Each structure stands twice: as C-alpha cells, then as structure tokens.
Amino acid sequence: QKEVEQDPGPLSVPEGAIVSLNCTYSNSAFQYFMWYRQYSRKGPELLMYTYSSGNKEDGRFTAQVDKSSKYISLFIRDSQPSDSATYLCAMDYAGNNRKLIWGLGTSLAVNP
Amino acid sequence: EAGVTQFPSHSVIEKGQTVTLRCDPISGHDNLYWYRRVMGKEIKFLLHFVKESKQDESGMPNNRFLAERTGGTYSTLKVQPAELEDSGVYFCASSQDRRTSGGREQFFGPGTRLTVL
C-alpha cells in the first residue's frame, strides 16, 4: 500500500470554479502536510503547509487536514487559468528529518 | 536572490555510461535534498545533506549512486554505471537551518531530466 494516495486526474474546470483536491495517507506519524504546485518543466513550489489538524487559509487557497480520517484537502476559490498546473501533496514526520513523502500529483486545467 | 539551480537540464546517455548531475542550493541554506521522479511514479526522496554531511541516504537506490557536497555548498550526484531504470527527473531542493521557522520549506530546482538509452 502506498503511504500517500492522490488521484492524478486530469481535472478540468471552468474559470471561476471552486476546485477541490485531496490526498489520503496511511501513516499516522505524519505531522506536517504540504501542498506544492508544479508548472510544466519547473520544480515544485510550496503553496501551503499545515501542522497537525485544522484549516489554513491564504488568499484563494485553503488547506484542510483531518488526521482522524487521514485525509487532506486543498481548495482553490475563484480558479484562474494561471492556476493550471500539477498539484502535489507531500508529508513529513515531526523531527529533524525533513524527507518528504509525496502523492502522485493531480493535473488541473482551468479553462477561460 | 537566485533560486536553486541544476545542471544540466537534460542529459541523454547510453546504458553503462557515467553521468554527474550538479545542484547549487540557495546561498546560506544548510540543508540540501535530492529527489527523483520516475515516469508515472511519485517523487521519491534520495538523500539529505546538512552542510557537507549526509544526514539521511536511505532513499539511494544502490551503490551505483554517489552523492557529494563539497564544503557544504554545491552538490553532485553521480550515477555510474547508468542503467535503463535510472531514467527520470532528478530534483534538488534546499532549505534553511531546521531550527528556524522557515526551515521546513524546501525550495526546488527545475530538475535534471535523465534519459538512459
């Protein structure tokens, strides 16, 4: 069983739609939960990270973590064509080792 | 401020040859990571340097892979001899001192796309 599961999509939405992306995980030791965005031929770029459970909001982006269900989500409000990218979830353990465990990534297209 | 840079951007080699990938982290970042993405698979951790020391190399596939970080600055990842299954995109990332609040964010380079024929 993979440690982190993420539906690769692709996901296609009209401009202005609310996008919901999510990942499930199996290892209850994960404490930090990240969302990265990756444009074609670029490296991943950190969007948001959350420690333990709860919500975090940054502009049009909201990250949610439900540790009881081992489920994390990223919501994008008022989606824009510039949001078209691959969104990857990543997790790591509390402590000094910061190696990230990744989902497959979900390809998102926002159509004008 | 310059981001993480990687060289080359793309490398095509024959099976059995040697390839060396280079990563220049953001200046002042003690932590340097190597990851690899094989087509259709998740990004996988390879190893982690703190300054010039290997903190964790549990993700290195086998002894054909050798990573070094000279003087705690740039890092190289050598594959010798290369095999077909080594093809993929190799990402390098760096982060600040782990004790700082910003130390959890890893900044990624654009990756080196390695093709082994």
Side-chain angles (χ1 to χ4, degrees):
Chain A
Q1 181 188 8
K2 291 181 182 179
E3 286 192 277
V4 180
E5 298 275 2
Q6 183 177 10
D7 186 338
L11 186 61
S12 181
V13 302
E15 183 175 353
I18 297 174
V19 177
S20 173
L21 305 166
N22 53 74
C23 292
T24 60
Y25 63 95
S26 58
N27 192 335
S28 58
F30 289 135
Q31 295 285 344
Y32 289 88
F33 304 90
M34 290 87 162
W35 285 97
Y36 280 81
R37 177 175 62 195
Q38 185 178 18
Y39 292 112
S40 180
R41 304 288 175 171
K42 302 286 188 182
E45 170 195 20
L46 182 66
L47 271 178
M48 301 178 71
Y49 81 82
T50 308
Y51 172 68
S52 196
S53 283
N55 293 359
K56 189 172 186 178
E57 189 172 319
D58 183 3
R60 298 184 294 109
F61 298 88
T62 299
Q64 290 184 348
V65 175
D66 181 349
K67 291 194 73 179
S68 63
S69 301
K70 297 190 178 72
Y71 186 91
I72 70 169
S73 301
L74 178 71
F75 297 95
I76 307 174
R77 290 182 298 279
D78 187 24
S79 56
Q80 303 294 309
S82 58
D83 295 328
S84 299
T86 295
Y87 290 79
L88 301 114
C89 62
M91 308 177 188
D92 77 11
Y93 311 92
N96 290 331
N97 191 344
R98 302 288 176 85
K99 81 178 182 185
L100 297 177
I101 311 300
W102 297 81
L104 261 178
T106 300
S107 176
L108 171 67
V110 180
N111 305 303
Chain B
E1 179 183 324
V4 177
T5 57
Q6 293 187 244
F7 182 82
S9 58
H10 194 180
S11 179
V12 181
I13 61 172
E14 300 276 340
K15 175 183 171 180
Q17 290 184 322
T18 297
V19 63
T20 300
L21 313 181
R22 173 170 171 144
C23 169
D24 286 81
I26 293 173
S27 177
H29 280 192
D30 288 344
N31 296 281
L32 189 149
Y33 307 82
W34 284 97
Y35 293 87
R36 176 175 74 175
R37 183 162 195 169
V38 171
M39 187 180 295
K41 303 283 189 181
E42 299 86 353
I43 297 173
K44 292 287 190 186
F45 168 84
L46 296 178
L47 89 160
H48 170 204
F49 283 99
V50 178
K51 297 184 180 178
E52 67 276 7
S53 299
K54 291 175 185 172
Q55 173 80 8
D56 180 357
E57 51 184 331
S58 62
M60 294 288 264
N62 51 60
N63 59 10
R64 295 185 294 103
F65 289 74
L66 175 64
E68 295 179 322
R69 189 177 183 193
T70 306
T73 56
Y74 71 92
S75 174
T76 57
L77 180 64
K78 180 190 286 188
V79 185
Q80 180 182 30
E83 298 289 345
L84 299 179
E85 64 264 25
D86 300 333
S87 295
V89 181
Y90 290 76
F91 290 105
C92 174
S94 70
S95 68
Q96 295 176 9
D97 187 320
R98 292 166 289 175
R99 292 165 292 181
T100 67
S101 60
R104 191 157 289 279
E105 179 171 2
Q106 295 184 23
F107 295 83
F108 282 77
T112 293
R113 185 172 300 271
L114 175 64
T115 303
V116 182
L117 302 176

